[in-house]
Amino acid sequence: MRVVRSSAEVRAALKRARAAGARRLALIPTAGALHRGHLSLVQLAQAQADYRVVSLFVNPTQFGPTEDFTAYPRDEECDRRLLEEQGVELLFTPPVEDIYPQKPRLGFEISGLADHLCGARRPGHFNGVLLIVAKLFNLIQPEVAVFGMKDLQQLVIIKQLVRELSFDIQIVAAPTVREPDGLALSSRNRYLNPEERRQSSALYRALERGQALIAAGERQAERVIAEMKSLLEAEAPLARLDYLEIVDLAKLQPLKQLSGRCALALAAYFGRARLIDNLVLEVRGEAVRELRAI
Ligand code: PAF
């Protein structure tokens, strides 16, 4: 695996790779501290492309002033080893000055899609995500880019970016990878102490409870949310709920009555770890099914 650290180098490396025959290039953007969830993205990309580029960059513009940018876990050596084992062709891991030689003066206005869920709690976060993702798309010009379903709002907004700015890139959604007790894998899980870790699996049980109620015929979002919250209160007293919402998948707006494609989504703090998770459902009349990719 080749490692490059500047925009100029990545462009040159990809020009050479294309000249040498790479035809379908996949980008897997990451912030490092890789776990099995990231590796599943890398594996999914293998089926989609003949050349895989992983970017490893902790993007400062998507962190708020009180968030964990400096403390965000970083372990480049371990990440490199894991990616090498996966047979990744190129790792792009630039310093902040390469990506942002000056403070960005332009931004994105995201209408509607960032009004709820993480967008409402992390002002500016998705603008920062769009800045880095658009930069990576322009620098790397992949045919395919893979993003995880765990960051559902990010995925929906990036799909909108691709449509609105006419990027010729296929966005592939990768199903959330979970621990055996249901906790979604996240780089922030390493912040959890043993008791927080034990209780954190209630997040997924709350989602499952919501899913079961909807499958049994409940269509009032308010009732589903109330049941999910009471499960969390009973099983995860250490959780500080940030949000728990049910939104439609197209516009990410809260639903009163459940129908069509919708997402049960939540975020909660356990100590300093802010964990997010979601389940995407398709509700058609009486039929309810989970969508593991969108
Ligand atoms: O999902 C992430 O890890 C980040 O938001 C991303 C897409 C790498 C952009 O910094």
Side-chain angles (χ1 to χ4, degrees):
M1 182 178 71
R2 182 133 190 251
V3 182
V4 290
R5 294 185 188 275
S6 73
S7 301
E9 272 182 293
V10 82
R11 282 194 202 272
L14 291 173
K15 205 169 165 188
R16 277 196 299 276
R18 296 263 191 209
R23 283 186 307 137
R24 207 167 149 77
L25 213 138
L27 168 66
I28 306 104
T30 81
L34 303 181
H35 50 65
R36 284 185 292 114
H38 296 108
L39 300 184
S40 76
L41 269 56
V42 172
Q43 284 151 10
L44 196 60
Q46 189 168 22
Q48 304 278 340
D50 55 8
Y51 192 98
R52 287 171 297 169
V53 185
V54 173
S55 64
L56 193 169
F57 180 67
V58 185
N59 174 38
T61 63
Q62 70 187 73
F63 287 79
T66 59
E67 294 182 356
D68 58 348
F69 172 68
T70 32
Y72 194 82
R74 292 164 172 86
D75 190 347
E76 189 191 313
E77 210 180 299
C78 175
D79 292 346
R80 276 174 78 150
R81 194 166 21 81
L82 291 169
L83 295 172
E84 247 152 32
E85 280 166 19
Q86 295 294 325
V88 165
E89 280 79 9
L90 189 69
L91 171 62
F92 175 44
T93 179
V96 172
E97 314 76 71
D98 177 83
I99 294 293
Y100 299 113
Q102 59 178 42
K103 196 169 181 288
R105 296 198 184 126
L106 301 178
F108 290 85
E109 195 180 305
I110 306 166
S111 100
L113 292 175
D115 288 353
H116 295 276
L117 313 177
C118 291
R121 273 82 187 172
R122 303 184 68 188
H125 169 70
F126 288 112
N127 180 58
V129 170
L130 288 178
L131 271 178
I132 185 61
V133 170
K135 267 175 177 281
L136 291 170
F137 284 176
N138 278 323
L139 277 172
I140 291 164
Q141 305 197 352
E143 275 73 26
V144 187
V146 187
F147 294 87
M149 285 282 284
K150 186 171 76 72
D151 294 299
L152 182 68
Q153 190 170 22
Q154 168 172 287
L155 175 64
V156 170
I157 292 175
I158 288 170
K159 283 181 154 217
Q160 190 70 23
L161 171 81
V162 165
R163 273 195 297 274
E164 285 198 19
L165 298 195
S166 308
F167 281 107
D168 190 10
I169 300 174
Q170 182 195 348
I171 302 298
V172 172
T176 301
V177 180
R178 300 182 180 282
E179 298 286 4
D181 66 1
L183 176 67
L185 296 195
S186 161
S187 305
R188 293 188 170 100
N189 291 353
R190 65 187 75 190
Y191 297 149
L192 300 171
N193 69 30
E195 183 52 22
E196 290 163 352
R197 170 64 192 84
R198 196 186 65 72
Q199 292 189 20
S200 62
S201 62
L203 297 179
Y204 184 57
R205 285 196 297 286
L207 292 169
E208 284 185 315
R209 166 78 64 91
Q211 179 181 21
L213 284 168
I214 299 166
E218 182 58 78
R219 294 291 180 269
Q220 302 272 344
E222 208 175 66
R223 290 205 200 131
V224 177
I225 290 171
E227 283 285 325
M228 293 170 70
K229 282 187 177 165
S230 55
L231 183 144
L232 281 176
E233 274 159 26
E235 298 187 18
L238 290 177
R240 283 175 289 125
L241 195 60
D242 197 18
Y243 65 78
L244 197 173
E245 296 182 63
I246 306 185
V247 295
D248 74 286
L249 204 57
K251 298 196 170 141
L252 302 184
Q253 297 299 310
L255 287 170
K256 283 199 165 97
Q257 197 67 23
L258 304 182
S259 74
R261 300 204 309 163
C262 55
L264 282 57
L266 49 76
Y269 288 91
F270 285 84
R272 67 188 178 112
R274 182 176 181 277
L275 306 182
I276 59 171
D277 203 351
N278 68 79
L279 272 185
V280 177
L281 301 178
E282 186 173 56
V283 181
R284 295 256 171 263
E286 307 225 314
V288 178
R289 70 182 180 112
E290 184 184 341
L291 303 179
R292 284 170 49 77
I294 59 166

Coordinates of all heavy atoms in Angstrom, one line a residue, residues 29-31 38 55 57-59 62 72 125 129 132-133 136 147 151 154 158, ligand 1:
P29 N -13.8 7.4 2.5 CA -13.3 8.5 3.4 C -13.4 8.1 4.9 O -14.5 7.6 5.3 CB -14.2 9.7 3.1 CG -15.1 9.3 2.0 CD -15.1 7.8 1.9
T30 N -12.4 8.3 5.6 CA -12.4 8.0 7.1 C -11.7 9.0 7.9 O -10.9 9.8 7.4 CB -11.7 6.6 7.4 OG1 -10.3 6.8 7.5 CG2 -12.0 5.5 6.4
A31 N -12.0 9.0 9.2 CA -11.3 9.9 10.1 C -10.3 9.0 10.9 O -9.9 9.4 12.0 CB -12.3 10.6 11.0
H38 N -15.3 0.2 9.6 CA -14.5 0.8 8.5 C -14.1 -0.3 7.5 O -14.1 -0.1 6.3 CB -13.3 1.6 9.0 CG -13.6 2.8 9.8 ND1 -13.3 2.8 11.2 CD2 -14.1 4.0 9.5 CE1 -13.6 3.9 11.7 NE2 -14.1 4.7 10.7
S55 N -9.0 7.6 2.5 CA -8.5 8.8 3.1 C -8.6 8.8 4.6 O -9.6 8.2 5.1 CB -9.2 10.0 2.5 OG -10.6 10.0 2.9
F57 N -8.3 11.3 7.6 CA -8.1 12.8 7.9 C -9.2 13.1 9.0 O -10.4 12.9 8.7 CB -8.4 13.6 6.6 CG -8.2 15.1 6.8 CD1 -7.0 15.6 7.1 CD2 -9.3 15.9 6.7 CE1 -6.8 17.0 7.3 CE2 -9.2 17.3 6.8 CZ -8.0 17.8 7.1
V58 N -8.7 13.6 10.1 CA -9.6 14.1 11.1 C -9.9 15.6 10.7 O -9.1 16.5 10.8 CB -9.1 14.0 12.5 CG1 -10.1 14.4 13.6 CG2 -8.6 12.6 12.8
N59 N -11.1 15.8 10.2 CA -11.5 17.1 9.6 C -11.9 18.1 10.6 O -13.0 18.1 11.2 CB -12.6 16.8 8.6 CG -13.1 18.1 8.0 OD1 -12.4 19.0 7.7 ND2 -14.4 18.1 7.8
Q62 N -15.5 20.0 10.8 CA -16.8 19.4 11.1 C -16.9 19.2 12.6 O -17.9 18.6 13.1 CB -17.0 18.1 10.4 CG -16.1 17.0 10.8 CD -16.2 15.7 9.9 OE1 -15.8 15.7 8.8 NE2 -16.9 14.7 10.4
Y72 N -9.8 13.4 19.6 CA -10.3 12.3 18.7 C -9.3 11.3 18.6 O -8.1 11.6 18.3 CB -10.8 12.9 17.4 CG -11.6 11.9 16.6 CD1 -13.0 11.8 16.9 CD2 -11.0 11.1 15.7 CE1 -13.7 10.8 16.2 CE2 -11.8 10.1 15.0 CZ -13.1 10.0 15.3 OH -13.9 9.1 14.6
H125 N -21.7 21.3 11.6 CA -21.1 20.0 11.4 C -21.2 19.6 9.9 O -20.2 19.2 9.3 CB -21.7 19.0 12.3 CG -21.3 17.6 12.0 ND1 -20.0 17.1 12.3 CD2 -22.0 16.5 11.5 CE1 -20.0 15.8 11.9 NE2 -21.2 15.5 11.4
V129 N -18.5 18.7 6.9 CA -18.5 17.3 6.2 C -18.5 17.6 4.7 O -17.8 17.0 4.0 CB -19.7 16.4 6.7 CG1 -19.8 15.2 5.8 CG2 -19.5 16.0 8.2
I132 N -15.2 18.9 3.3 CA -14.1 17.9 3.1 C -14.5 16.8 2.1 O -13.6 16.4 1.3 CB -13.7 17.2 4.5 CG1 -12.5 16.3 4.3 CG2 -14.8 16.4 5.1 CD1 -11.3 16.9 3.8
V133 N -15.7 16.4 2.1 CA -16.1 15.4 1.1 C -16.0 15.9 -0.3 O -15.5 15.3 -1.2 CB -17.5 14.8 1.4 CG1 -18.0 13.9 0.3 CG2 -17.4 14.0 2.8
L136 N -12.4 16.0 -1.3 CA -11.9 14.7 -1.6 C -12.4 14.2 -2.9 O -11.7 13.6 -3.7 CB -12.3 13.7 -0.5 CG -11.6 13.9 0.9 CD1 -12.2 13.0 2.0 CD2 -10.1 13.6 0.8
F147 N -19.9 5.1 2.1 CA -20.2 5.7 3.4 C -21.1 4.7 4.2 O -21.9 4.0 3.7 CB -21.0 7.0 3.2 CG -20.1 8.1 2.5 CD1 -20.1 8.1 1.1 CD2 -19.4 9.0 3.3 CE1 -19.3 9.1 0.5 CE2 -18.6 9.9 2.6 CZ -18.5 10.0 1.3
D151 N -23.9 6.7 10.0 CA -24.0 8.2 9.9 C -25.0 8.5 8.8 O -24.7 9.0 7.7 CB -22.6 8.7 9.5 CG -21.6 8.5 10.6 OD1 -21.8 9.1 11.7 OD2 -20.6 7.8 10.4
Q154 N -25.5 12.1 7.4 CA -24.3 12.4 6.6 C -24.5 11.8 5.2 O -24.3 12.4 4.2 CB -23.1 11.8 7.3 CG -21.8 11.8 6.4 CD -20.6 11.5 7.2 OE1 -20.1 12.3 7.9 NE2 -20.1 10.3 7.0
I158 N -24.8 13.7 1.7 CA -23.8 13.5 0.7 C -24.5 13.1 -0.6 O -24.0 13.5 -1.7 CB -22.7 12.6 1.2 CG1 -21.9 13.2 2.2 CG2 -21.8 12.1 0.0 CD1 -20.9 12.3 3.0
Ligands
PAF1 O1 -17.8 9.7 8.6 C1 -16.7 10.2 8.8 O2 -15.8 9.5 9.4 C2 -16.4 11.6 8.4 O3 -17.5 12.4 8.6 C3 -15.9 11.7 7.0 C4 -16.9 11.3 6.0 C5 -14.6 10.9 6.9 C6 -15.6 13.2 6.7 O4 -14.6 13.7 7.5

